[in-house]
Amino acid sequence: MIEYASTNGFNTPYNTAPFSKIKDEDYLPAFKKAIADAKAEIDNIVNNEALPSFENTIEALDFSGEKLDRISSIFFNLNSAETNENIQKIAQEVSPLLSEFSNDITLNEDLFKRVKAVYNSKSDLDLTTEQQTLLDKKYKSFSRNGANLSKDKKEELRDIGKQLSKLKLKFGENILAETNTFEMLITDEADLSGLPDGAKEAAKQLAESKNKEGWLFTLDYPSYIPFVTYADNRALRKKIALVAGSKGFKNNDLDNQSIVLDIVKLRHKRANLLDYKTHAHFVLEERMAETPENVQKFLNELLEKAKPAAEREFASLENFAKDLDGIDQLQKWDGAYYAEKLKQKLFSLDDEKLKPYFKLENVINGSFKIAKKLFDLHFEEIDTIDKYHEDVLTYKVTDSKGNFIAIFYADYFPRPGKRNGAWMTVYKPQYIKNGENSRPHISIVCNFTKPTKTKPSLLTFNEVTTLFHEFGHALHGMLANTTYPSLSGTSVFWDFVELPSQVMENWCYEKEALELFATHYETGALIPMDLVEKIKASATFHEGMQTLRQLSFGLLDMSWHGQDPTGITNVKAHESDAFKNTKLYPDVEENCMSTAFAHIFQGGYSSGYYSYKWAEVLDADAFEYFKEEGIFNKVVADKFNDNVLSKGGTENPMTLYKRFRGQEPKPEALLKRAGLLK
């Protein structure tokens, strides 16, 4: 059983999660007990005979349910990073319970009366900016979840919440199952032509681990991406690309088409119940962008700038493929392959030539060195805390005075129980309670190529930027310094959350930063500066096409959520219509993006995918400031920490940004960086 005392949490070093002591069967009873305890805390707030005040209602509410939050964070993080059939089954059982508990709070009339009483008297209260933000957030968490609705409509809302939580889980499980099901075994070495030695060795090792002869390729990114990028065999590229592009779209037990339609229709129904025109109107009320109209305008303005460049780049790529191999019609499974060949021709820059300079351990240490220069952080690897898998690395983070700042977990390699992609997550948030600053436990999860018998884990440059991206999110979590847990770290508007992550990627392109860690894993030689110049020069390679791709996903998201979806019956047809202004490659009948678009149908990006590009405008503008003053300038770094990283969601993000930058962000910095300004 998971023992968790409300006074000091887990009886472990730094109050860390006791992973090895938790059995799968412990979770359900622990969840039920934690929900009961959290309900009792809510009852204490409701039954308090004293008049509602900020302290006895709003503050008490924010600190309630701590045990439930900790257990949820452990369980659902493992469901993404180290899942199994038991955990998935428990998730299906637990999700409705949590949804119901959440509804029990937001639809609790007596609790809402107390919150409303404090909210209505806010002009008489002497609140700090952070307290005002918390009060607004708590009030909206009720009003936006139906507290002002009639009883029958509240019940309807509760039912929608339960259905959505189950559908989102099932969507993700189907994608993971599809990813894990596919294997492409190659037995003829001639079919490996073009592949780098590292990719071949990894495929051989994977085959051996499954007692198979030959080379095994899967849909895991470290296996899939090198194959479609380097394999000369066009038929095999097509084979694996078609499977990757048809996840959730095979009319089998793992099909997500009806799930997509159910999710968007339920979201729309919920928005209407709450008196919003669409799901996007509901979501964007709590975003920097504010309205669907603003998002559409933002996406279309960028589209206008990017489309001509993208079309020129695509025509150039098609001509290159035709001249090189007589390809008449470039297909989706050709894109990465010929783009890599063209990139090598234009810049003499081969990812395989770069990889020896990006040994994973060196890149990790490089991110730590940069964090030390900018924010005075020190990372010490420790073995005194529990981990959920032997691959996970654990660190104690301190500042220059030796003060404890955070616990940091890092999990870098793919495995069957782990979903694809990369993400940052929180096992325990930061907050200040009873005068004590309780520090956070932060984790990043990636899927990089594992070391082989002859080579360490060597990263592509794209993987280097991915690591820095997630590390930027981690810094946002680790440097949090707020009073209330719900405003801490990455608990910010969704279109602001990508600023710290995306801004960190910029250091990967700077000579001064690369000199700290980009050394050859065998010789120790520093990365040649001509390679650094090529990295910078190639940074805008196919930027028009890349921008168009990102915009297409944002427009697809808005097409599902920014209008009434009740008339949509065909997922593929709807998607094709949404993509019509951003289409470059011929359509592939067997493929569908929506049925595997986990960001918007499983994660939290519905009506928010535009925020990647939105945050790019912020990050380009922010890094411009660093470049003006020096990329390790302490004054700028301190301003970024004091006004962005440490502040979490305590104030309006535009206010925080302007305090850091001295002005609103301008898109010119992004367009200039992307080479899209004439």
Side-chain angles (χ1 to χ4, degrees):
M1 187 68 184
I2 306 170
E3 289 298 325
Y4 187 89
S6 53
T7 46
N8 59 355
F10 296 114
N11 187 20
T12 54
Y14 309 104
N15 185 13
T16 48
F19 296 109
S20 65
K21 295 183 178 63
I22 306 171
K23 300 184 184 75
D24 289 352
E25 57 268 27
D26 292 337
Y27 282 110
L28 195 55
F31 266 116
K32 286 178 176 173
K33 173 81 168 65
I35 287 171
D37 290 350
K39 280 181 176 173
E41 290 175 65
I42 298 298
D43 289 343
N44 286 338
I45 297 170
V46 170
N47 297 326
N48 190 334
E49 291 178 3
L51 286 171
S53 70
F54 181 84
E55 288 74 19
N56 71 22
T57 302
I58 307 303
E59 199 170 78
L61 188 54
D62 205 56
F63 283 114
S64 71
E66 184 193 334
K67 183 201 296 187
L68 181 59
D69 290 343
R70 288 296 308 273
I71 292 168
S72 295
S73 71
I74 294 168
F75 178 77
F76 286 103
N77 286 331
L78 289 185
N79 192 33
S80 290
E82 183 61 10
T83 196
N84 57 46
E85 282 186 12
N86 282 342
I87 285 180
Q88 290 182 356
K89 191 163 168 287
I90 295 162
Q92 287 285 2
E93 219 171 324
V94 162
S95 289
L97 295 180
L98 292 171
S99 180
E100 191 173 351
F101 170 68
S102 174
N103 284 328
D104 282 342
I105 292 178
T106 52
L107 301 178
N108 184 322
E109 289 177 21
D110 293 328
L111 181 60
F112 181 51
K113 275 179 194 163
R114 290 186 70 92
V115 170
K116 203 171 185 177
V118 180
Y119 184 77
N120 288 340
S121 64
K122 66 179 177 179
S123 56
D124 303 326
L125 305 174
D126 187 20
L127 300 178
T128 65
T129 303
E130 184 178 351
Q131 288 172 330
Q132 286 172 21
T133 302
L134 184 70
L135 177 55
D136 285 343
K137 186 174 175 177
K138 288 298 174 205
Y139 178 76
K140 280 182 177 174
S141 75
F142 284 88
S143 63
R144 284 170 57 81
N145 284 290
N148 290 316
L149 293 180
S150 63
K151 194 172 181 184
D152 58 329
K153 285 188 175 177
K154 281 181 183 173
E155 281 307 311
E156 198 178 343
L157 198 70
R158 188 185 282 255
D159 185 52
I160 289 171
K162 276 190 200 173
Q163 288 181 64
L164 280 170
S165 67
K166 282 193 161 185
L167 286 166
K168 284 163 68 179
L169 266 177
K170 182 70 178 134
F171 182 96
E173 285 172 10
N174 287 350
I175 298 305
L176 184 63
E178 287 258 61
T179 303
N180 289 340
T181 302
F182 177 79
E183 291 182 346
M184 186 169 75
L185 184 67
I186 291 176
T187 51
D188 183 351
E189 193 161 2
D191 288 333
L192 303 176
S193 168
L195 281 170
D197 290 340
K200 287 194 274 195
E201 191 179 355
K204 184 85 172 164
Q205 209 162 292
L206 183 60
E208 284 170 5
S209 74
K210 301 200 172 190
N211 299 315
K212 294 183 178 179
E213 284 289 322
W215 298 265
L216 195 61
F217 294 89
T218 69
L219 299 182
D220 285 326
Y221 289 159
S223 180
Y224 174 77
I225 299 295
F227 197 89
V228 294
T229 306
Y230 294 104
D232 294 330
N233 189 319
R234 193 184 188 205
L236 288 177
R237 287 202 314 270
K238 178 179 178 179
K239 179 182 175 182
I240 197 169
L242 283 180
V243 179
S246 62
K247 282 188 280 193
F249 190 62
K250 296 191 183 75
N251 292 308
N252 58 10
D253 291 347
L254 302 174
D255 194 274
N256 275 339
Q257 290 174 83
S258 63
I259 292 178
V260 165
L261 294 175
D262 288 346
I263 288 174
V264 295
K265 286 169 187 176
L266 282 167
R267 282 173 173 166
H268 183 70
K269 193 173 175 185
R270 179 179 61 189
N272 286 171
L273 262 177
L274 294 166
D275 213 21
Y276 292 88
K277 189 178 173 186
T278 67
H279 178 68
H281 285 85
F282 170 71
V283 169
L284 293 165
E285 184 183 64
E286 294 287 274
R287 299 286 190 266
M288 288 178 83
E290 296 178 342
T291 67
E293 292 74 24
N294 286 345
V295 172
Q296 289 288 2
K297 182 169 177 271
F298 170 73
L299 293 173
N300 287 324
E301 279 177 1
L302 279 180
L303 181 61
E304 200 181 313
K305 298 276 195 311
K307 193 171 180 176
E311 288 172 341
R312 284 195 302 273
E313 291 164 4
F314 188 73
S316 162
L317 188 63
E318 276 210 306
N319 289 334
F320 175 72
K322 191 168 189 176
D323 293 345
L324 194 67
D325 288 331
I327 301 284
D328 282 329
Q329 176 72 74
L330 206 62
Q331 300 288 349
K332 286 181 180 174
W333 45 88
D334 298 319
Y337 178 78
Y338 287 107
E340 183 61 27
K341 289 248 185 301
L342 180 56
K343 188 172 162 189
Q344 286 177 31
K345 182 188 171 192
L346 293 175
F347 305 102
S348 305
L349 188 67
D350 179 355
D351 247 339
E352 289 305 304
K353 288 199 182 83
L354 290 175
K355 278 169 76 172
Y357 295 99
F358 296 124
K359 180 182 171 185
L360 174 60
E361 290 76 5
N362 293 347
V363 180
I364 295 167
N365 288 334
S367 67
F368 292 167
K369 285 175 184 173
I370 288 166
K372 188 171 194 295
K373 277 179 165 285
L374 292 170
F375 309 116
D376 298 320
L377 294 179
H378 174 71
F379 290 77
E380 176 196 353
E381 192 171 353
I382 55 172
D383 58 9
T384 53
I385 64 171
D386 234 337
K387 48 179 83 173
Y388 57 86
H389 190 277
E390 59 185 5
D391 286 349
V392 178
L393 304 173
T394 47
Y395 300 89
K396 176 186 175 184
V397 188
T398 52
D399 65 13
S400 55
K401 294 176 184 152
N403 297 313
F404 175 57
I405 297 296
I407 290 292
F408 178 51
Y409 301 89
D411 179 358
Y412 291 115
F413 304 122
R415 51 182 177 266
K418 186 178 185 180
R419 66 178 168 89
N420 259 329
W423 62 95
M424 166 269 184
T425 193
V426 180
Y427 280 102
K428 180 198 162 302
Q430 174 275 337
Y431 53 82
I432 298 169
K433 191 176 181 185
N434 302 326
E436 185 196 340
N437 196 324
S438 182
R439 300 309 302 167
H441 303 167
I442 305 298
S443 169
I444 64 172
V445 187
C446 304
N447 280 278
F448 299 145
T449 307
K450 287 191 94 156
T452 63
K453 288 170 189 167
T454 63
K455 283 192 179 77
S457 177
L458 301 175
L459 305 188
T460 63
F461 187 70
N462 189 43
E463 288 175 325
V464 174
T465 58
T466 296
L467 191 150
F468 270 73
H469 179 101
E470 299 309 331
F471 187 63
H473 280 310
L475 290 171
H476 201 182
M478 288 188 269
L479 289 165
N481 196 26
T482 64
T483 306
Y484 303 108
S486 73
L487 301 178
S488 179
T490 55
S491 299
V492 299
F493 279 5
W494 207 268
D495 45 9
F496 192 59
V497 79
E498 294 297 334
L499 167 60
S501 55
Q502 289 181 190
V503 83
M504 280 307 294
E505 292 181 36
N506 288 283
W507 274 266
C508 301
Y509 296 91
E510 297 297 321
K511 174 177 177 284
E512 224 181 314
L514 287 167
E515 284 175 341
L516 297 174
F517 66 91
T519 54
H520 197 286
Y521 80 100
E522 288 175 314
T523 66
L526 186 67
I527 189 168
M529 283 309 121
D530 66 315
L531 277 184
V532 175
E533 289 310 311
K534 284 175 182 175
I535 289 172
K536 290 197 81 159
S538 69
T540 58
F541 174 68
H542 281 181
E543 189 62 43
M545 284 167 66
Q546 292 295 339
T547 300
L548 202 66
R549 182 173 180 270
Q550 282 290 90
L551 295 175
S552 75
F553 296 163
L555 290 163
L556 176 62
D557 173 26
M558 293 308 290
S559 78
W560 280 119
H561 296 112
Q563 61 181 348
D564 181 349
T566 50
I568 303 169
T569 55
N570 186 308
V571 173
K572 172 78 175 181
H574 175 79
E575 176 175 297
S576 298
D577 187 56
F579 281 157
K580 66 179 184 288
N581 291 329
T582 56
K583 190 176 157 194
L584 293 172
Y585 291 93
D587 181 55
V588 180
E589 196 182 328
E590 306 95 310
N591 283 186
C592 185
M593 164 77 187
S594 300
T595 54
F597 201 172
H599 273 80
I600 67 170
F601 292 118
Q602 184 191 5
Y605 277 88
S606 64
S607 302
Y609 201 87
Y610 75 90
S611 59
Y612 281 107
K613 272 291 162 209
W614 185 276
E616 272 188 57
V617 169
L618 297 177
D619 100 64
D621 187 67
F623 194 66
E624 190 88 345
Y625 189 16
F626 274 99
K627 287 177 82 169
E628 285 164 10
E629 304 297 330
I631 66 164
F632 290 116
N633 183 284
K634 275 297 290 169
V635 175
V636 181
D638 286 346
K639 279 180 80 173
F640 192 66
N641 186 9
D642 293 345
N643 296 302
V644 177
L645 297 177
S646 66
K647 284 289 189 288
T650 55
E651 284 187 70
N652 181 289
M654 191 58 86
T655 305
L656 293 175
Y657 187 84
K658 285 196 290 191
R659 206 176 291 147
F660 154 66
R661 188 66 169 101
Q663 61 186 40
E664 286 201 4
K666 297 188 174 81
E668 282 73 22
L670 171 65
L671 295 168
K672 187 171 105 185
R673 185 177 74 184
L676 297 176
L677 272 186
K678 287 274 191 295

